[in-house]
Amino acid sequence: MEQLGFEGMPQRLYPCTPTRLSAWLDCPRRYRMSYLDRPAPPKGPPWGHNSLGAAVHNALAGWWRLPLARRTVAAAGTLVDRGWIDQGFADETQSVRQRERAIAMVEAYVARLDPADEPLGIERTVATRTDKIAVSGRIDRLDSRPADTDTELVVVDYKTGRHLLTADDARSSMALALYALAAGRVLRQPCHRVELHHLPTGEIITWAHTAESLARHLSRAEDIAQECAAADERMREGLPADARDEIFPPRPSPSCGWCDYLRHCPEGATAAAPRRPWDGLATT
């Protein structure tokens, strides 16, 4: 039965994460398979680069949670070793080499940190809402650093991929912008600076948003969320299987080779050959 609305009732907020919104932008069919299909279609095998990235992120979070006296370079490497995720690799030899590479990059990164410079948050979940969306996400690290007259909040995102990053990656990231907005509102302090810390190269890519640029990212997120909400509602209404591509069309591209649902998507399989689970790893 259709629920009746009443004039003046507040609009129902659309709960989302930046990852969910990006999935819709990338490919509505993949979005449907990820978030709406029940049961969800089986995914492909685990990715080696995801295993490496998760092990590095977990180790860095664990390092900051150690007592100050134990925050050493060697401890960071030990955390990677103990928390290694042995999935998505061609064989044991490749897994061992990638583990050694991950240990080396984490130790090199931690060697440049001040263990006493306590972050405001590690793997911290932040959230905010507008009159259209309720958005939340988890920040790798949230810093408070000295500024000209006070302190400033800085959103830090760890990156372990093999591709080099530029300031445009930080500037254009809707996720980082939403994290900055949410962190600022949660802590009642403006947050404009976002950073990508690329561990393979040691590069730190920084972007300082303005209030206007953050507002543009938020407006874009609201627009995407409205599209998602309308599509979600069609599914809840019992959208016939033969009509799903009208609402959730595939967007085939060369990146389809990396999709977890490639086996279920003829258009994607035509657009790109499937990638091997270890193809996203840097060669050593």
Side-chain angles (χ1 to χ4, degrees), residues 29-256:
R29 176 181 284 173
R30 179 165 66 86
Y31 170 92
R32 172 178 60 78
M33 292 180 179
S34 298
Y35 294 102
L36 303 179
D37 283 356
R38 293 295 179 268
K43 291 184 178 183
W47 298 99
H49 59 276
N50 287 345
S51 294
L52 182 147
V56 167
H57 279 71
N58 292 341
L60 290 172
W63 188 80
W64 281 113
R65 293 183 179 119
L66 292 173
L68 177 59
R70 293 176 54 196
R71 291 178 196 163
T72 64
V73 171
T78 297
L79 287 168
V80 176
D81 189 45
R82 291 177 178 173
W84 186 244
I85 302 170
D86 189 20
Q87 295 180 353
F89 302 101
D91 50 34
E92 184 179 356
T93 298
Q94 186 185 57
S95 178
V96 169
R97 288 177 178 172
Q98 291 295 327
R99 184 177 68 226
E100 291 172 347
R101 174 174 167 262
I103 290 171
M105 74 169 73
V106 167
E107 289 182 343
Y109 177 74
V110 164
R112 298 191 297 271
L113 299 177
D114 179 357
D117 191 10
E118 204 76 44
L120 277 180
I122 296 296
E123 297 286 339
R124 177 165 182 164
T125 297
V126 293
T128 189
R129 61 178 58 198
T130 70
D131 58 355
K132 297 179 181 178
I133 63 174
V135 62
S136 62
R138 189 168 62 181
I139 301 174
D140 288 343
R141 196 175 90 212
L142 182 64
D143 288 352
S144 178
R145 301 190 195 152
D148 293 337
T149 58
D150 198 357
T151 59
E152 67 172 347
L153 300 178
V154 182
V155 172
V156 174
D157 193 43
Y158 302 132
K159 294 296 183 184
T160 58
R162 61 185 179 179
H163 297 296
L164 299 179
L165 303 173
T166 68
D168 191 57
D169 293 301
R171 177 192 63 80
S172 63
S173 171
M174 181 173 62
L176 288 180
L178 293 176
Y179 295 156
L181 272 169
R185 293 180 181 180
V186 167
L187 297 175
R188 301 183 184 278
Q189 179 183 348
C191 180
H192 297 104
R193 188 172 297 277
V194 298
E195 293 181 350
L196 297 172
H197 290 203
H198 190 237
L199 272 71
T201 61
E203 292 288 327
I204 296 177
I205 295 90
T206 300
W207 185 259
H209 279 290
T210 63
E212 292 74 20
S213 66
L214 289 175
R216 285 194 296 271
H217 275 288
L218 182 58
S219 178
R220 181 167 177 255
E222 290 179 326
D223 290 343
I224 299 166
Q226 285 187 307
E227 294 179 16
C228 293
D232 292 2
E233 185 62 28
R234 291 293 301 274
M235 280 290 285
R236 283 193 294 268
E237 292 171 351
L239 185 67
D242 59 3
R244 289 181 178 178
D245 282 354
E246 298 176 15
I247 308 301
F248 303 94
R251 289 184 182 154
S253 72
S255 64
C256 288

